[in-house]
Amino acid sequence: MITLQLAWRNLWRHRRRTWLTASAIAFATTLLVFMITLQLGAYDMMIDTSLRVFTGQLQVQRQGYHAKPQMRATVPDAQALAARLRAASGLDGVAARAQGFALASSVSRSYGVPVIGVEPEFEARVSTLPHLIKQGRYLSSDQAQEAVLGAALARNLKLQIGDELTLLGSGKDGSIAATIVPVVGIFESGNPELDRHLVQLPLKTFQEVFTMGDDAHAIVVSGPSHEAIPQTQATVAAQLAPGSGLVVLDWEQLIPGLRQLIQADMVQNWITYIALILIVTLSIMNTFLMSVLERTREFGIMLALGSSPWRIGVIVLLESVYLTLLGLGIGLLLGGGIAVYLHYEGFTFPGMAEIYAQFGLPGVIHPKLSFAGFTLGPAVIFVFTVLAALYPALRIRKLQPVEAIHAV
Amino acid sequence: MIMEHTVICRHVSKVYRQESVAVQALTDINLEIPKKDFACLSGPSGSGKSTLLNLIGGLDRPTGGEITVDGQRVDQLGKSELAALRLHKIGFVFQAYNLIPVLTAIENVEFVMQLQGMAAAERAVKAREILHEVGLDGLEYRRPGELSGGQQQRVAVARAIVSEPSLVLADEPTANLDSKTAENLMQLLAHMNQEHGVTFIFSTHDKLVMDFSRRLITLHDGSIVNDVRRE
Ligand SMILES: Nc1ncnc2c1ncn2[C@@H]1O[C@H](COP(=O)(O)OP(=O)(O)OP(=O)(O)O)[C@@H](O)[C@H]1O
Ligand SMILES: [Mg+2]
């Protein structure tokens, strides 16, 4: 009790010094809470944006297909299943896809490319590609004899709208799959992988050419928000008949590189944060050393009266805990306030929208309001500042009463 | 043992070593302080008064010899045992700045009892009584910075004796006070010695202060050169 009380009163001996130090902690906390929530918000946005281009947040596939995409590892009766999932989940972002491989040729050139069969009606709800048509139009119906392809591929094949594209591959049963379709649209997503390689056909056309019957290879699901993914995944999984051999893969399984990319970015940011925290910590350590040194005589008196050095050390540590909590409290209020405000208003700065638009990203970031976002920064600051007080506190153990009392 | 002694020193010596120089602060001190004694250590500056008080109080260790306080061999105790001895058996009054600046007068007096683990109600009653006895009624809630030097020393005296220690050590308790205030403080110490039966050892340069003592021990160059009772 007396220990808590003494620590609290000692804190207010030098009001200005205490407020200055608390302000430094508050400033660092505000900055960290703001930056971390913003960063987490940006990651969610990045994930969401990149998933919406083509992959979708979830995919139903035959087990093993993702690791080794074989033509015959199909989802049977795919359009009917997609319709069932649409009804069960209440989401309209559900679409069936089939995928094959073909030699795409124009009059002058040939390239080996993946060919995707899509449901034109639903594809626009799981992928942004249909909205990124730069020339011509998107596929019109399931049965239409037509194709769309990426801008870079079109350039390489020297194909224009209306030109004929020859596709030559092998079907599900091993037979030769061949067709000639006119190009009706050219998309440009900004993603070179897609723009350089991808050809899309209407699903029924694809199934005919590749002798797939009613089969496809994936049901793509795109949920309303990033947070709702696990729940949607459960709903979808519940619709799959047990023993069907079908699985629901989430985006981390579909694009493992995305998480790694984010983690690498996170590490980079934390290096900056730690540097900031270290600067604050050093200034606190300096303050505490000073405040301990100038109280040497007082500690000597306390030792003479029979306090253990241990108790005095605890008092000094408690002072740092109080001070840090004070700074953290203020910082959390400010930083949290900013984060909440921007969560609803959106964060942007002049020019940001233009830069982001080039990458197909929205120009506004909404800081993510999560437990981690609010506590991670303050927790690390707390650990560092308490460690900073540990050194001065431990020095007290070496204090000799006689020398301490004679110190002025 | 015929008489019960609070303090016994046998062949106590203290050598300070600083880098290459060794200072012999005390040489072969033999001393017995009986219970309820009111003894004064005098002697010129550097004669070893503070050193002897510090050794008896367990704030420092002798280089040689034995020191017994209330039956315990102080020279053989470990660090935490010494702290416990000081907490339960010894009261200290120093020259100045004795008090914890962030605590009020009454909190300072309660501090030692608090460390001893005494219940709050009992503490408060005792602290109030002793502050009344040292003449500080009405000043209980002032902090040291709001008290005069004499008043601060009275709080220190109150704190030193409130938990009824076996021994109170006071190193030049009046050195920072004017002679009138010093006299009042000495009257207070004498009163406490008589009323509470507390054993006192104090040091001073001041003739006036020496005159209050019932026993005058004179140190010179780290040795006792005179030890007279003046009853
Ligand atoms: N920490 C120390 N290191 C080295 N020498 C010391 C130390 N403390 C005291 N001394 C020396 O020991 C001797 C005795 O000192 P002490 O402080 O006990 O004298 P004193 O009688 O209390 O003097 P004063 O009246 O000035 O307070 C002196 O020569 C002093 O210089
Ligand atoms: Mg002295």
Side-chain angles (χ1 to χ4, degrees):
Chain A
M1 248 346 266
I2 183 73
T3 316
L4 295 174
Q5 196 179 19
L6 269 175
W8 180 251
R9 296 224 190 136
N10 283 332
L11 196 58
W12 299 107
R13 280 167 107 147
H14 298 276
R15 276 168 192 281
R16 192 166 18 161
R17 190 160 79 187
T18 298
W19 278 122
L20 266 174
T21 318
S23 305
I25 298 172
F27 175 73
T29 310
T30 308
L31 211 60
L32 277 196
V33 169
F34 167 66
M35 295 205 297
I36 291 172
T37 52
L38 191 68
Q39 189 191 346
L40 293 178
Y43 290 152
D44 279 2
M45 185 188 83
M46 207 175 100
I47 293 166
D48 219 45
T49 312
S50 54
L51 295 181
R52 278 179 204 288
V53 173
F54 186 68
T55 311
Q57 293 168 339
L58 300 166
Q59 285 191 14
V60 176
Q61 296 180 352
R62 177 154 300 278
Q63 177 127 41
Y65 177 81
H66 184 68
K68 198 174 175 206
Q70 289 178 313
M71 270 309 252
R72 57 174 191 277
T74 57
V75 177
D77 218 359
Q79 281 181 290
L81 177 59
R84 263 210 320 285
L85 293 181
R86 216 171 283 133
S89 64
L91 298 171
D92 45 51
V94 180
R97 271 186 205 154
Q99 176 167 353
F101 202 76
L103 190 67
S105 317
S106 63
V107 183
S108 51
R109 297 185 182 185
S110 299
Y111 291 96
V113 294
V115 180
I116 311 285
V118 299
E119 298 180 281
E121 190 191 345
F122 299 109
E123 183 66 14
R125 299 178 193 164
V126 298
S127 161
T128 51
L129 284 186
H131 309 285
L132 295 169
I133 297 290
K134 292 288 144 76
Q135 285 177 55
R137 59 168 173 83
Y138 194 62
L139 304 170
S140 56
S141 74
D142 276 2
Q143 296 86 359
Q145 297 288 321
E146 54 194 30
V148 296
L149 72 171
L153 181 59
R155 247 192 327 278
N156 290 339
L157 288 170
K158 298 201 162 80
L159 284 174
Q160 310 277 337
I161 300 295
D163 291 350
E164 288 194 323
L165 171 70
T166 307
L167 295 172
L168 186 66
S170 57
K172 185 190 169 194
D173 56 3
S175 64
I176 285 179
T179 189
I180 300 176
V181 283
V183 174
V184 295
I186 293 171
F187 60 80
E188 187 162 14
S189 68
N191 178 335
E193 202 60 24
L194 298 174
D195 292 349
R196 211 179 299 149
H197 297 299
L198 204 61
V199 174
Q200 289 191 352
L201 297 177
L203 184 59
K204 286 250 155 42
T205 309
F206 182 99
Q207 286 167 335
E208 259 165 53
V209 173
F210 289 87
T211 56
M212 301 266 301
D214 286 330
D215 292 5
H217 293 110
I219 314 281
V220 182
V221 180
S222 189
S225 73
H226 187 74
E227 282 81 19
I229 293 176
Q231 200 199 329
T232 312
Q233 184 170 17
T235 313
V236 170
Q239 290 299 313
L240 303 178
S244 64
L246 299 180
V247 289
V248 192
L249 304 180
D250 66 13
W251 63 272
E252 291 197 53
Q253 293 163 303
L254 293 168
I255 322 180
L258 200 53
R259 173 62 73 193
Q260 284 162 14
L261 201 74
I262 286 170
Q263 273 160 356
D265 187 70
M266 203 123 82
V267 167
Q268 203 173 19
N269 282 318
W270 270 101
I271 292 172
T272 320
Y273 299 163
I274 295 289
L276 173 76
I277 295 172
L278 270 181
I279 293 170
V280 173
T281 307
L282 284 178
S283 88
I284 291 168
M285 190 149 141
N286 183 43
T287 308
F288 268 94
L289 264 181
M290 215 154 80
S291 95
V292 165
L293 282 179
E294 72 193 8
R295 282 187 282 166
T296 304
R297 184 186 156 86
E298 190 179 321
F299 293 154
I301 298 277
M302 288 171 72
L303 288 174
L305 294 179
S307 309
S308 60
W310 181 84
R311 184 189 289 270
I312 301 173
V314 168
I315 291 176
V316 170
L317 268 185
L318 272 175
E319 287 171 27
S320 95
V321 169
Y322 285 149
L323 182 62
T324 308
L325 289 181
L326 185 70
L328 286 184
I330 297 169
L332 208 54
L333 275 179
L334 286 175
I338 295 171
V340 169
Y341 174 77
L342 292 178
H343 176 74
Y344 294 107
E345 293 298 312
F347 173 77
T348 187
F349 52 82
M352 179 171 143
E354 289 74 39
I355 297 167
Y356 273 49
Q358 292 176 10
F359 302 99
L361 293 169
V364 176
I365 304 176
H366 296 271
K368 185 178 185 177
L369 306 183
S370 65
F371 183 72
F374 284 127
T375 53
L376 225 52
V380 175
I381 291 179
F382 185 80
V383 170
F384 270 78
T385 48
V386 171
L387 282 181
L390 208 55
Y391 170 65
L394 286 178
R395 270 176 63 112
I396 291 169
R397 297 193 61 84
K398 294 199 191 138
L399 216 56
Q400 296 297 324
V402 186
E403 286 160 30
I405 289 164
H406 288 173
V408 183
Chain B
M1 219 182 286
I2 306 157
M3 200 171 183
E4 225 182 313
H5 292 300
T6 302
V7 179
I8 304 167
C9 296
R10 296 259 180 267
H11 310 297
V12 170
S13 65
K14 177 69 183 177
V15 180
Y16 287 109
R17 281 183 203 288
Q18 277 188 329
E19 279 130 45
S20 54
V21 214
V23 181
Q24 180 87 35
L26 291 176
T27 323
D28 195 30
I29 299 289
N30 290 287
L31 182 66
E32 282 160 4
I33 307 280
K35 254 190 173 158
K36 301 185 184 178
D37 210 351
F38 196 62
C40 174
L41 292 179
S42 71
S45 185
S47 57
K49 303 182 293 292
S50 298
T51 304
L52 184 54
L53 286 174
N54 289 340
L55 292 182
I56 294 171
L59 293 175
D60 205 353
R61 291 174 182 287
T63 312
E66 302 169 5
I67 301 172
T68 310
V69 173
D70 217 28
Q72 269 187 293
R73 278 284 296 277
V74 175
D75 54 296
Q76 291 176 338
L77 294 181
K79 219 172 171 175
S80 53
E81 294 166 315
L82 278 178
L85 176 88
R86 292 197 296 267
L87 177 58
H88 295 284
K89 301 250 167 107
I90 303 175
F92 285 94
V93 179
F94 299 98
Q95 192 170 323
Y97 306 111
N98 274 292
L99 306 179
I100 299 169
V102 294
L103 298 182
T104 62
I106 192 161
E107 286 167 341
N108 263 287
V109 174
E110 284 187 51
F111 181 73
V112 173
M113 293 186 281
Q114 231 162 340
L115 292 184
Q116 289 174 341
M118 195 183 288
E122 191 184 351
R123 244 164 36 210
V125 171
K126 284 198 166 199
R128 212 168 280 282
E129 270 174 14
I130 201 83
L131 281 174
H132 168 74
E133 208 173 333
V134 301
L136 292 177
D137 280 322
L139 302 179
E140 293 92 341
Y141 298 104
R142 293 216 188 162
R143 292 206 182 178
E146 300 158 346
L147 294 171
S148 72
Q151 289 166 339
Q152 287 182 36
Q153 289 303 79
R154 280 166 182 271
V155 176
V157 170
R159 183 182 62 189
I161 64 173
V162 72
S163 55
E164 289 152 21
S166 315
L167 174 67
V168 172
L169 301 172
D171 192 4
E172 306 200 36
T174 60
N176 281 29
L177 305 178
D178 62 69
S179 58
K180 184 79 197 112
T181 318
E183 207 175 323
N184 286 337
L185 190 77
M186 287 318 296
Q187 272 161 1
L188 177 66
L189 290 187
H191 166 82
M192 292 298 177
N193 173 246
Q194 249 131 43
E195 289 300 307
H196 295 265
V198 185
T199 313
F200 274 90
I201 310 176
F202 56 94
S203 71
T204 189
H205 285 290
D206 191 340
K207 184 77 181 61
L208 186 140
V209 173
M210 291 174 209
D211 288 344
F212 276 90
S213 71
R214 281 188 275 121
R215 179 180 177 185
L216 186 61
I217 301 161
T218 311
L219 285 171
H220 199 277
D221 277 349
S223 299
I224 297 178
V225 291
N226 204 359
D227 185 349
V228 287
R229 291 231 157 249
R230 328 154 354 121
E231 227 67 45

